[in-house]
């Protein structure tokens, strides 16, 4: 049986005075009740998911400790893509030891919230791409309002391992034609150092499982990038369908995927690329 690795799930604890959630700029949990790593393990077992990449959520600010705790308790189940504030000079000093943290694989950086958008234009983030390229630290990027910038980053830094979140889509596409968004993403296929997370996709259509309008768009991405640069994921806490349906959307509903394609997309690519994402695809 294929190994199934989910490229993105948030886990978090309850909002308490000792661990308060960030309450600004739409940083609020996807669910009313926390999704703990213990709860996630149960959902993984029921859905047939072997491993998960944990992404600390926005409402936890820049804390990575709970995700790392989960990875250290269950190293065969969890690993982490963490985050730092790019506008804090102290963040630069953390890169040298970043991958020495048990369970840490790299970074997931979001430019979704106000105050972070400008970092892609005013060179606030430029040191980060340069240093991650030098230190060979992979970076997942979510820039829903500046997708073209991701391609520019990959082009300027050809040895930086770049992963585009959520097939370059966001909730503003919900119920709309996804074609123009995918058109932009396909322009990035020429960059050998860039891969794509096929994650959160059911959130972007206004129809029930198995989400038929997603199928042709996913096929375009598979044909452009090849299965070895694509990483299945769910963003489970905001998914409109069950965890198992997130799995079977790819393993059963997409009839254009070969058996080999499914193996790569559902886990083999992420397992390999977490170690190396480069021109050898």
């Amino acid at each position: 049986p294929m190994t199934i690795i989910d490229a993105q799930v948030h886990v978090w604890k309850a909002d308490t005075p000792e661990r308060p959630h960030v309450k600004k700029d739409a940083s609020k949990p996807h669910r009313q009740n926390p999704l703990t790593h213990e709860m996630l393990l149960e959902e993984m077992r029921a859905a047939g998911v072997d491993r998960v990449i944990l992404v600390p959520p926005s409402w936890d600010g820049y804390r990575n400790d709970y995700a790392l705790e989960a990875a250290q308790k269950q190293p065969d189940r969890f690993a982490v893509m963490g985050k730092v504030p790019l506008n804090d000079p102290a963040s630069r000093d953390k890169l040298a030891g970043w991958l020495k943290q048990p369970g840490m694989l790299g970074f997931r950086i979001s430019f979704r919230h106000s105050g972070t958008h400008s970092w892609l234009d005013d060179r606030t983030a430029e040191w980060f791409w340069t240093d991650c390229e030098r230190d060979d630290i992979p970076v997942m990027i979510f820039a829903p309002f500046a997708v073209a910038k991701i391609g520019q980053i990959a082009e300027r830094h050809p040895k930086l391992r770049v992963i585009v979140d959520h097939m370059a889509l966001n909730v503003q596409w919900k119920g709309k034609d996804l074609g123009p968004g995918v058109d932009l993403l396909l322009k990035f296929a020429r960059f050998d150092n860039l891969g794509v997370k096929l994650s959160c996709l059911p959130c972007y259509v206004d129809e029930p499982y198995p989400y038929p309008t997603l199928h042709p768009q996913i096929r375009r991405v598979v044909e452009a990038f090849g299965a070895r640069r694509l990483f299945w994921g769910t963003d489970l806490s905001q998914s409109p369908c069950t965890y198992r349906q997130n799995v079977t959307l790819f393993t059963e509903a997409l009839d254009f995927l070969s058996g080999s394609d499914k193996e790569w997309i559902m886990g083999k690519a992420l397992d390999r690329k977490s170690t190396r994402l480069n021109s050898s695809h």
Side-chain angles (χ1 to χ4, degrees):
M2 74 178 79
T3 297
I4 297 179
I5 306 175
D6 190 334
Q8 177 167 325
V9 177
H10 301 302
V11 290
W12 69 95
K13 293 183 176 181
D15 183 6
T16 64
E18 294 75 26
R19 191 184 181 91
H21 291 170
V22 175
K23 295 183 176 69
K24 63 178 182 178
D25 197 24
S27 293
K28 60 182 180 179
H30 295 150
R31 298 181 178 184
Q32 182 176 0
N33 297 318
L35 176 60
T36 65
H37 59 76
E38 293 91 351
M39 295 167 62
L40 176 57
L41 276 173
E42 292 302 314
E43 295 207 36
M44 290 166 62
R45 292 187 184 104
V49 175
D50 298 292
R51 295 183 237 159
V52 166
I53 303 298
L54 300 177
V55 172
S58 60
W59 49 91
D60 258 351
Y62 287 100
R63 298 185 66 156
N64 301 300
D65 56 320
Y66 184 58
L68 285 171
E69 175 189 322
Q72 290 158 21
K73 288 182 175 178
Q74 297 283 344
D76 58 337
R77 292 288 185 261
F78 300 130
V80 180
M81 295 293 277
K83 55 187 174 179
V84 291
L86 303 189
N87 64 337
D88 183 352
S91 294
R92 192 163 197 169
D93 297 332
K94 297 178 180 179
L95 264 68
W98 194 253
L99 298 184
K100 296 177 182 178
Q101 301 175 89
M104 187 66 81
L105 294 183
F107 287 101
R108 196 265 187 166
I109 301 296
S110 174
F111 299 93
R112 174 188 173 196
H113 302 295
S114 64
T116 61
H117 304 161
S118 62
W119 296 353
L120 291 168
D121 296 311
D122 63 11
R123 298 190 62 81
T124 296
E126 191 59 29
W127 71 267
F128 180 73
W129 316 127
T130 300
D131 287 11
C132 286
E133 181 178 31
R134 180 198 64 211
D135 295 341
D136 194 26
I137 303 176
V139 183
M140 295 175 172
I141 305 176
F142 186 44
F145 310 112
V147 173
K149 300 287 184 182
I150 303 176
Q152 295 170 16
I153 292 164
E155 185 170 27
R156 289 198 311 272
H157 301 277
K159 293 184 179 180
L160 175 66
R161 290 185 277 165
V162 175
I163 301 164
V164 182
D165 275 11
H166 303 341
M167 215 165 80
L169 302 172
N170 67 79
V171 293
Q172 291 190 336
W173 290 95
K174 186 176 181 66
K176 300 178 182 178
D177 177 13
L178 303 180
V182 175
D183 289 344
L184 179 56
L185 176 65
L186 298 188
K187 295 178 181 179
F188 303 164
R190 62 190 177 93
F191 302 126
D192 288 333
N193 58 322
L194 186 144
V196 178
K197 282 161 64 176
L198 304 179
S199 50
C200 203
L201 300 185
C203 295
Y204 305 140
V205 291
D206 190 14
E207 61 187 357
Y209 178 89
Y211 312 113
T213 60
L214 282 176
H215 299 195
Q217 303 301 339
I218 296 172
R219 183 169 190 165
R220 295 174 66 203
V221 176
V222 173
E223 291 174 349
F225 284 87
R228 298 186 181 206
R229 280 200 282 167
L230 302 178
F231 318 121
W232 170 81
T234 65
D235 207 359
L236 179 63
S237 55
Q238 63 175 326
S239 177
C241 62
T242 68
Y243 207 176
R244 184 60 188 166
Q245 285 175 323
N246 274 284
V247 173
T248 58
L249 172 61
F250 279 79
T251 60
E252 298 178 10
L254 301 181
D255 58 8
F256 56 85
L257 293 179
S258 68
S260 176
D261 289 339
K262 293 174 185 178
E263 288 185 1
W264 282 102
I265 293 170
M266 297 304 294
K268 190 175 180 180
L270 187 61
D271 196 27
R272 183 162 83 76
K273 298 305 191 300
S274 65
T275 304
R276 188 83 234 157
L277 174 62
N278 59 21
S279 58
S280 66
H281 342 289

